[in-house]
Amino acid sequence: MTDAVKPTPEAIRQARAENPKMRERDLAQQLQISEAELVAAYCGINVVRINPHIETFLTEIESLGEVMALTRNESAVHEKIGVYDKPIVGKHASMLLGEQIDMRLFPNAWAHGFAVEKPDGEDVRRSLQFFDAAGEAIHKIHLRPASNLEAYQALVAKLRLDDQSQSVQLTALPKPEEKTFELDELDASGLRDRWTQMKDVHEFFGILRSLKMTRHQAVQVIGQDYAWQLDTAALTTMMHDAAQEQLPIMCFIGNRGCIQIHSGPIQNVKPMGPWINILDETFHMHLRTDHIAELWAVRKPTKDGHVTSLEAYGAEGDMIVQFFGKRHEGSGERGDWRQLVETLPRLMRAAA
């Protein structure tokens, strides 16, 4: 939709009033606007525009106490309850390394921020919401009954911007990384040579950049001793098995500005229509299984032995969610996690 025909802030608020129970993301899509534009329409009413710079927010956010952290992409939602502690602020990437809130943040993607107070019966739901330059949600922090309200109000006052207009200036994001080569044109032997020599899984990103290939392309050409495709239903099987065995896992869900991580066992795995959900006391995950086009088991060498992951990809080759067995740096992979992954049903390929 062009700027000339976008709804005015007044029209946005009217649409919200007519659809009070619709999720913000869904209403924004219906109105053909970004979620940031929907939120901004309430500036001066129950929304305050705030500075989205990570440096200030990370050094102050622990004072809020227990909150709920929410990070999502188009197909998966990751919610964790805890305290934002142990921050490490960097120029190109920052981290939170708390026991509950474990995140990687990429500050260049954070463009807009808002403090939102939403009436809910006799209560008020408060949150800090951050968006990228195109108005897509990057990360949200929701207050809970145990949160420190005074600290929240002080933080909002500190982050408040002079600009409290009810519209946002959006910028189109660069297109997702395009495939430079087709599969048969990729340097598969070069990939395999460097893959086998990895000592740390973080070396993988540099390998992909130098060989000009995507992660999805890499798992397709590395060879089945390092990556093999699974039936997409195997992801749900893994969750049920991990819950039954109380096997601690790591679940990574992210977007271009934030990756959020759960580490530990899971308990309550509940399917609901196309969604598979984890509904635990301090961790909720919601995953659209019908968005998973491919599921891969991937094995990467490290100085501590191989590390095995499950990686779910969308139709465009985008990463939806990634799982590992819980491990600490310097320790080997859990044998029960490796066995679980290796026994999941593989995709049956038709004979050539």
Side-chain angles (χ1 to χ4, degrees):
M1 178 176 281
T2 66
D3 289 340
V5 295
K6 280 188 175 181
T8 64
E10 293 79 9
I12 292 171
R13 294 194 296 271
Q14 180 62 33
R16 171 81 281 180
E18 294 171 356
N19 299 276
K21 295 184 179 180
M22 186 178 290
R23 294 181 181 274
E24 282 80 0
R25 188 181 182 92
D26 296 335
L27 180 59
Q29 290 177 344
Q30 179 176 297
L31 296 174
Q32 299 183 52
I33 60 174
S34 70
E35 191 177 347
E37 289 171 294
L38 175 61
V39 175
Y42 287 86
C43 280
I45 302 174
N46 62 329
V47 170
V48 174
R49 190 188 303 269
I50 60 174
N51 191 326
H53 293 164
I54 287 176
E55 294 85 349
T56 305
F57 138 69
L58 276 187
T59 56
E60 301 281 346
I61 196 67
E62 183 177 355
S63 65
L64 272 59
E66 182 186 272
V67 295
M68 190 269 278
L70 187 153
T71 300
R72 70 166 301 157
N73 54 47
E74 189 64 32
S75 305
V77 184
H78 193 297
E79 302 171 356
K80 284 285 289 186
I81 294 173
V83 177
Y84 280 73
D85 56 352
K86 300 181 181 177
I88 299 175
V89 179
K91 183 177 180 181
H92 302 292
S94 297
M95 296 185 287
L96 283 155
L97 301 176
E99 183 66 26
Q100 289 294 336
I101 308 295
D102 187 1
M103 297 170 55
R104 309 295 177 264
L105 307 101
F106 309 103
N108 289 341
W110 295 51
H112 305 285
F114 302 93
V116 179
E117 297 194 353
K118 187 176 181 180
D120 184 17
E122 297 181 356
D123 297 324
V124 176
R125 289 189 287 162
R126 297 176 173 88
S127 61
L128 302 176
Q129 304 188 14
F130 299 93
F131 301 84
D132 64 19
E136 288 292 312
I138 287 178
H139 185 61
K140 298 180 181 181
I141 302 162
H142 293 268
L143 268 63
R144 290 176 51 78
S147 301
N148 186 327
L149 181 57
E150 289 186 3
Y152 166 82
Q153 293 169 335
L155 179 58
V156 171
K158 183 173 184 177
L159 297 177
R160 182 188 177 101
L161 295 176
D162 292 337
D163 176 14
Q164 293 296 320
S165 58
Q166 294 181 338
S167 61
V168 289
Q169 195 69 34
L170 300 181
T171 303
L173 297 176
K175 292 182 179 180
E177 181 183 2
E178 295 183 359
K179 297 177 182 178
T180 307
F181 303 104
E182 296 300 322
L183 288 181
D184 58 0
E185 299 173 323
L186 295 172
D187 183 4
S189 61
L191 173 66
R192 189 172 179 84
D193 180 60
R194 297 182 64 177
W195 187 302
T196 59
Q197 297 181 54
M198 275 194 291
K199 301 299 182 184
D200 187 305
V201 293
H202 299 100
E203 297 174 27
F204 187 53
F205 305 105
I207 294 172
L208 295 180
R209 282 195 299 269
S210 65
L211 295 176
K212 297 181 179 180
M213 67 176 69
T214 67
R215 177 193 290 268
H216 184 225
Q217 286 178 322
V219 300
Q220 292 177 87
V221 302
I222 186 59
Q224 291 201 26
D225 49 343
Y226 286 108
W228 56 98
Q229 194 171 354
L230 302 172
D231 187 309
T232 56
L235 192 59
T236 298
T237 300
M238 179 278 292
M239 291 184 200
H240 283 295
D241 289 351
Q244 183 175 355
E245 298 172 17
Q246 282 298 282
L247 194 165
I249 62 171
M250 300 179 74
C251 172
F252 293 66
I253 290 173
N255 51 55
R256 64 189 304 272
C258 181
I259 297 172
Q260 191 164 301
I261 306 163
H262 164 78
S263 298
I266 57 175
Q267 296 178 335
N268 301 301
V269 179
K270 305 290 185 183
M272 186 177 298
W275 296 88
I276 184 70
N277 306 283
I278 299 171
L279 303 175
D280 290 346
E281 185 176 357
T282 62
F283 173 50
H284 283 193
M285 187 213 70
H286 313 285
L287 172 64
R288 281 286 296 263
T289 56
D290 57 330
H291 286 190
I292 300 174
E294 295 180 12
L295 179 66
W296 290 80
V298 181
R299 182 184 292 142
K300 298 187 186 79
T302 75
K303 60 182 176 58
D304 304 309
H306 288 122
V307 171
T308 311
S309 61
L310 281 187
E311 303 181 357
Y313 292 90
E316 301 299 319
D318 51 308
M319 174 79 79
I320 295 174
V321 60
Q322 186 179 39
F323 291 92
F324 293 85
K326 183 179 179 181
R327 61 183 286 270
H328 297 286
E329 192 72 25
S331 62
E333 180 171 74
R334 296 179 60 98
D336 47 3
W337 166 256
R338 183 176 295 179
Q339 182 178 12
L340 190 161
V341 174
E342 291 179 348
T343 56
L344 292 172
R346 302 194 180 205
L347 186 68
M348 301 300 295
R349 295 181 179 274

PDB file of all heavy atoms in Angstrom, residues 201 248-250 263 302-308 324-334:
ATOM      1  N   VAL A 201      31.299 -23.763  16.196  1.00  0.00           N
ATOM      2  CA  VAL A 201      30.160 -23.623  15.284  1.00  0.00           C
ATOM      3  C   VAL A 201      30.016 -22.197  14.762  1.00  0.00           C
ATOM      4  O   VAL A 201      29.430 -21.970  13.700  1.00  0.00           O
ATOM      5  CB  VAL A 201      28.838 -24.058  15.965  1.00  0.00           C
ATOM      6  CG1 VAL A 201      28.854 -25.552  16.242  1.00  0.00           C
ATOM      7  CG2 VAL A 201      28.577 -23.270  17.242  1.00  0.00           C
ATOM      8  N   PRO A 248      17.125 -31.954  28.474  1.00  0.00           N
ATOM      9  CA  PRO A 248      17.279 -30.500  28.309  1.00  0.00           C
ATOM     10  C   PRO A 248      17.717 -30.131  26.895  1.00  0.00           C
ATOM     11  O   PRO A 248      18.662 -30.714  26.358  1.00  0.00           O
ATOM     12  CB  PRO A 248      18.344 -30.126  29.344  1.00  0.00           C
ATOM     13  CG  PRO A 248      19.081 -31.394  29.617  1.00  0.00           C
ATOM     14  CD  PRO A 248      18.106 -32.515  29.415  1.00  0.00           C
ATOM     15  N   ILE A 249      17.016 -29.186  26.313  1.00  0.00           N
ATOM     16  CA  ILE A 249      17.288 -28.773  24.941  1.00  0.00           C
ATOM     17  C   ILE A 249      17.561 -27.273  24.902  1.00  0.00           C
ATOM     18  O   ILE A 249      17.398 -26.566  25.890  1.00  0.00           O
ATOM     19  CB  ILE A 249      16.114 -29.105  24.006  1.00  0.00           C
ATOM     20  CG1 ILE A 249      14.848 -28.335  24.439  1.00  0.00           C
ATOM     21  CG2 ILE A 249      15.854 -30.608  23.965  1.00  0.00           C
ATOM     22  CD1 ILE A 249      13.695 -28.438  23.458  1.00  0.00           C
ATOM     23  N   MET A 250      17.984 -26.811  23.737  1.00  0.00           N
ATOM     24  CA  MET A 250      18.108 -25.376  23.460  1.00  0.00           C
ATOM     25  C   MET A 250      17.242 -25.074  22.246  1.00  0.00           C
ATOM     26  O   MET A 250      17.313 -25.778  21.238  1.00  0.00           O
ATOM     27  CB  MET A 250      19.560 -24.994  23.192  1.00  0.00           C
ATOM     28  CG  MET A 250      20.492 -25.294  24.346  1.00  0.00           C
ATOM     29  SD  MET A 250      22.210 -24.844  23.988  1.00  0.00           S
ATOM     30  CE  MET A 250      22.118 -23.049  24.096  1.00  0.00           C
ATOM     31  N   SER A 263      16.982 -22.636  27.250  1.00  0.00           N
ATOM     32  CA  SER A 263      17.849 -23.765  27.581  1.00  0.00           C
ATOM     33  C   SER A 263      17.258 -24.503  28.779  1.00  0.00           C
ATOM     34  O   SER A 263      17.048 -23.902  29.835  1.00  0.00           O
ATOM     35  CB  SER A 263      19.265 -23.288  27.921  1.00  0.00           C
ATOM     36  OG  SER A 263      19.876 -22.652  26.830  1.00  0.00           O
ATOM     37  N   THR A 302      33.329 -29.528  16.307  1.00  0.00           N
ATOM     38  CA  THR A 302      33.893 -28.531  17.216  1.00  0.00           C
ATOM     39  C   THR A 302      35.095 -29.173  17.898  1.00  0.00           C
ATOM     40  O   THR A 302      35.339 -30.382  17.762  1.00  0.00           O
ATOM     41  CB  THR A 302      32.893 -28.073  18.299  1.00  0.00           C
ATOM     42  OG1 THR A 302      32.761 -29.112  19.279  1.00  0.00           O
ATOM     43  CG2 THR A 302      31.523 -27.767  17.695  1.00  0.00           C
ATOM     44  N   LYS A 303      35.824 -28.375  18.666  1.00  0.00           N
ATOM     45  CA  LYS A 303      36.980 -28.917  19.390  1.00  0.00           C
ATOM     46  C   LYS A 303      36.544 -29.916  20.458  1.00  0.00           C
ATOM     47  O   LYS A 303      37.367 -30.706  20.951  1.00  0.00           O
ATOM     48  CB  LYS A 303      37.784 -27.788  20.024  1.00  0.00           C
ATOM     49  CG  LYS A 303      37.027 -26.946  21.021  1.00  0.00           C
ATOM     50  CD  LYS A 303      37.895 -25.832  21.563  1.00  0.00           C
ATOM     51  CE  LYS A 303      37.115 -24.904  22.499  1.00  0.00           C
ATOM     52  NZ  LYS A 303      36.519 -25.595  23.642  1.00  0.00           N
ATOM     53  N   ASP A 304      35.256 -29.901  20.793  1.00  0.00           N
ATOM     54  CA  ASP A 304      34.728 -30.808  21.810  1.00  0.00           C
ATOM     55  C   ASP A 304      33.948 -31.971  21.205  1.00  0.00           C
ATOM     56  O   ASP A 304      33.225 -32.670  21.921  1.00  0.00           O
ATOM     57  CB  ASP A 304      33.823 -30.034  22.772  1.00  0.00           C
ATOM     58  CG  ASP A 304      34.534 -28.859  23.417  1.00  0.00           C
ATOM     59  OD1 ASP A 304      35.632 -29.068  23.966  1.00  0.00           O
ATOM     60  OD2 ASP A 304      34.006 -27.733  23.348  1.00  0.00           O
ATOM     61  N   GLY A 305      34.060 -32.171  19.897  1.00  0.00           N
ATOM     62  CA  GLY A 305      33.305 -33.223  19.220  1.00  0.00           C
ATOM     63  C   GLY A 305      32.165 -32.638  18.407  1.00  0.00           C
ATOM     64  O   GLY A 305      31.956 -31.424  18.381  1.00  0.00           O
ATOM     65  N   HIS A 306      31.434 -33.493  17.727  1.00  0.00           N
ATOM     66  CA  HIS A 306      30.340 -33.017  16.883  1.00  0.00           C
ATOM     67  C   HIS A 306      29.199 -32.441  17.717  1.00  0.00           C
ATOM     68  O   HIS A 306      28.909 -32.917  18.813  1.00  0.00           O
ATOM     69  CB  HIS A 306      29.794 -34.160  16.012  1.00  0.00           C
ATOM     70  CG  HIS A 306      30.721 -34.554  14.914  1.00  0.00           C
ATOM     71  ND1 HIS A 306      31.218 -35.827  14.769  1.00  0.00           N
ATOM     72  CD2 HIS A 306      31.248 -33.833  13.901  1.00  0.00           C
ATOM     73  CE1 HIS A 306      32.011 -35.886  13.717  1.00  0.00           C
ATOM     74  NE2 HIS A 306      32.045 -34.683  13.170  1.00  0.00           N
ATOM     75  N   VAL A 307      28.548 -31.418  17.150  1.00  0.00           N
ATOM     76  CA  VAL A 307      27.345 -30.830  17.733  1.00  0.00           C
ATOM     77  C   VAL A 307      26.217 -30.998  16.721  1.00  0.00           C
ATOM     78  O   VAL A 307      26.380 -30.673  15.539  1.00  0.00           O
ATOM     79  CB  VAL A 307      27.549 -29.337  18.060  1.00  0.00           C
ATOM     80  CG1 VAL A 307      26.242 -28.695  18.463  1.00  0.00           C
ATOM     81  CG2 VAL A 307      28.589 -29.177  19.160  1.00  0.00           C
ATOM     82  N   THR A 308      25.075 -31.515  17.175  1.00  0.00           N
ATOM     83  CA  THR A 308      23.962 -31.842  16.285  1.00  0.00           C
ATOM     84  C   THR A 308      22.794 -30.893  16.524  1.00  0.00           C
ATOM     85  O   THR A 308      22.409 -30.642  17.664  1.00  0.00           O
ATOM     86  CB  THR A 308      23.483 -33.291  16.545  1.00  0.00           C
ATOM     87  OG1 THR A 308      24.615 -34.164  16.550  1.00  0.00           O
ATOM     88  CG2 THR A 308      22.521 -33.730  15.463  1.00  0.00           C
ATOM     89  N   PHE A 324      19.043 -27.554  19.671  1.00  0.00           N
ATOM     90  CA  PHE A 324      20.231 -28.300  20.057  1.00  0.00           C
ATOM     91  C   PHE A 324      19.929 -29.035  21.354  1.00  0.00           C
ATOM     92  O   PHE A 324      18.969 -28.704  22.058  1.00  0.00           O
ATOM     93  CB  PHE A 324      21.422 -27.367  20.320  1.00  0.00           C
ATOM     94  CG  PHE A 324      21.961 -26.652  19.119  1.00  0.00           C
ATOM     95  CD1 PHE A 324      21.399 -25.456  18.694  1.00  0.00           C
ATOM     96  CD2 PHE A 324      23.051 -27.154  18.428  1.00  0.00           C
ATOM     97  CE1 PHE A 324      21.907 -24.779  17.599  1.00  0.00           C
ATOM     98  CE2 PHE A 324      23.569 -26.477  17.334  1.00  0.00           C
ATOM     99  CZ  PHE A 324      23.005 -25.294  16.912  1.00  0.00           C
ATOM    100  N   GLY A 325      20.777 -29.986  21.701  1.00  0.00           N
ATOM    101  CA  GLY A 325      20.787 -30.475  23.073  1.00  0.00           C
ATOM    102  C   GLY A 325      21.503 -29.459  23.934  1.00  0.00           C
ATOM    103  O   GLY A 325      22.475 -28.829  23.492  1.00  0.00           O
ATOM    104  N   LYS A 326      21.053 -29.257  25.156  1.00  0.00           N
ATOM    105  CA  LYS A 326      21.700 -28.274  26.026  1.00  0.00           C
ATOM    106  C   LYS A 326      23.127 -28.727  26.334  1.00  0.00           C
ATOM    107  O   LYS A 326      23.364 -29.871  26.705  1.00  0.00           O
ATOM    108  CB  LYS A 326      20.918 -28.106  27.321  1.00  0.00           C
ATOM    109  CG  LYS A 326      21.504 -27.042  28.237  1.00  0.00           C
ATOM    110  CD  LYS A 326      20.699 -26.877  29.511  1.00  0.00           C
ATOM    111  CE  LYS A 326      21.336 -25.813  30.419  1.00  0.00           C
ATOM    112  NZ  LYS A 326      20.581 -25.644  31.676  1.00  0.00           N
ATOM    113  N   ARG A 327      24.045 -27.785  26.152  1.00  0.00           N
ATOM    114  CA  ARG A 327      25.442 -28.066  26.478  1.00  0.00           C
ATOM    115  C   ARG A 327      26.120 -26.764  26.870  1.00  0.00           C
ATOM    116  O   ARG A 327      25.617 -25.678  26.605  1.00  0.00           O
ATOM    117  CB  ARG A 327      26.186 -28.687  25.283  1.00  0.00           C
ATOM    118  CG  ARG A 327      26.231 -27.809  24.047  1.00  0.00           C
ATOM    119  CD  ARG A 327      26.912 -28.504  22.872  1.00  0.00           C
ATOM    120  NE  ARG A 327      28.340 -28.588  23.009  1.00  0.00           N
ATOM    121  CZ  ARG A 327      29.196 -27.649  22.569  1.00  0.00           C
ATOM    122  NH1 ARG A 327      28.753 -26.544  21.996  1.00  0.00           N
ATOM    123  NH2 ARG A 327      30.492 -27.810  22.715  1.00  0.00           N
ATOM    124  N   HIS A 328      27.252 -26.882  27.529  1.00  0.00           N
ATOM    125  CA  HIS A 328      28.038 -25.724  27.906  1.00  0.00           C
ATOM    126  C   HIS A 328      29.314 -25.698  27.082  1.00  0.00           C
ATOM    127  O   HIS A 328      29.841 -26.748  26.669  1.00  0.00           O
ATOM    128  CB  HIS A 328      28.376 -25.768  29.398  1.00  0.00           C
ATOM    129  CG  HIS A 328      27.177 -25.704  30.290  1.00  0.00           C
ATOM    130  ND1 HIS A 328      26.464 -24.545  30.490  1.00  0.00           N
ATOM    131  CD2 HIS A 328      26.549 -26.667  31.024  1.00  0.00           C
ATOM    132  CE1 HIS A 328      25.462 -24.780  31.315  1.00  0.00           C
ATOM    133  NE2 HIS A 328      25.484 -26.060  31.652  1.00  0.00           N
ATOM    134  N   GLU A 329      29.806 -24.489  26.819  1.00  0.00           N
ATOM    135  CA  GLU A 329      31.045 -24.336  26.068  1.00  0.00           C
ATOM    136  C   GLU A 329      32.152 -25.138  26.745  1.00  0.00           C
ATOM    137  O   GLU A 329      32.349 -25.066  27.956  1.00  0.00           O
ATOM    138  CB  GLU A 329      31.439 -22.855  26.011  1.00  0.00           C
ATOM    139  CG  GLU A 329      32.540 -22.551  25.023  1.00  0.00           C
ATOM    140  CD  GLU A 329      32.085 -22.653  23.583  1.00  0.00           C
ATOM    141  OE1 GLU A 329      30.880 -22.487  23.328  1.00  0.00           O
ATOM    142  OE2 GLU A 329      32.941 -22.899  22.710  1.00  0.00           O
ATOM    143  N   GLY A 330      32.852 -25.935  25.937  1.00  0.00           N
ATOM    144  CA  GLY A 330      33.933 -26.739  26.476  1.00  0.00           C
ATOM    145  C   GLY A 330      33.532 -28.145  26.860  1.00  0.00           C
ATOM    146  O   GLY A 330      34.382 -28.951  27.259  1.00  0.00           O
ATOM    147  N   SER A 331      32.242 -28.464  26.728  1.00  0.00           N
ATOM    148  CA  SER A 331      31.773 -29.817  27.043  1.00  0.00           C
ATOM    149  C   SER A 331      31.221 -30.470  25.789  1.00  0.00           C
ATOM    150  O   SER A 331      30.801 -29.801  24.854  1.00  0.00           O
ATOM    151  CB  SER A 331      30.702 -29.780  28.135  1.00  0.00           C
ATOM    152  OG  SER A 331      29.574 -29.044  27.696  1.00  0.00           O
ATOM    153  N   GLY A 332      31.238 -31.788  25.778  1.00  0.00           N
ATOM    154  CA  GLY A 332      30.751 -32.519  24.630  1.00  0.00           C
ATOM    155  C   GLY A 332      29.230 -32.552  24.564  1.00  0.00           C
ATOM    156  O   GLY A 332      28.537 -32.190  25.520  1.00  0.00           O
ATOM    157  N   GLU A 333      28.719 -32.993  23.427  1.00  0.00           N
ATOM    158  CA  GLU A 333      27.278 -33.080  23.234  1.00  0.00           C
ATOM    159  C   GLU A 333      26.690 -34.231  24.040  1.00  0.00           C
ATOM    160  O   GLU A 333      27.321 -35.289  24.202  1.00  0.00           O
ATOM    161  CB  GLU A 333      26.984 -33.285  21.748  1.00  0.00           C
ATOM    162  CG  GLU A 333      25.514 -33.397  21.413  1.00  0.00           C
ATOM    163  CD  GLU A 333      25.281 -33.373  19.910  1.00  0.00           C
ATOM    164  OE1 GLU A 333      25.577 -34.379  19.247  1.00  0.00           O
ATOM    165  OE2 GLU A 333      24.810 -32.334  19.426  1.00  0.00           O
ATOM    166  N   ARG A 334      25.469 -34.031  24.519  1.00  0.00           N
ATOM    167  CA  ARG A 334      24.772 -35.081  25.253  1.00  0.00           C
ATOM    168  C   ARG A 334      24.506 -36.269  24.330  1.00  0.00           C
ATOM    169  O   ARG A 334      23.994 -36.121  23.224  1.00  0.00           O
ATOM    170  CB  ARG A 334      23.439 -34.555  25.782  1.00  0.00           C
ATOM    171  CG  ARG A 334      23.549 -33.443  26.809  1.00  0.00           C
ATOM    172  CD  ARG A 334      22.153 -33.009  27.238  1.00  0.00           C
ATOM    173  NE  ARG A 334      21.412 -34.115  27.833  1.00  0.00           N
ATOM    174  CZ  ARG A 334      21.297 -34.322  29.140  1.00  0.00           C
ATOM    175  NH1 ARG A 334      21.893 -33.496  29.990  1.00  0.00           N
ATOM    176  NH2 ARG A 334      20.612 -35.343  29.610  1.00  0.00           N
TER     177      ARG A 334
END
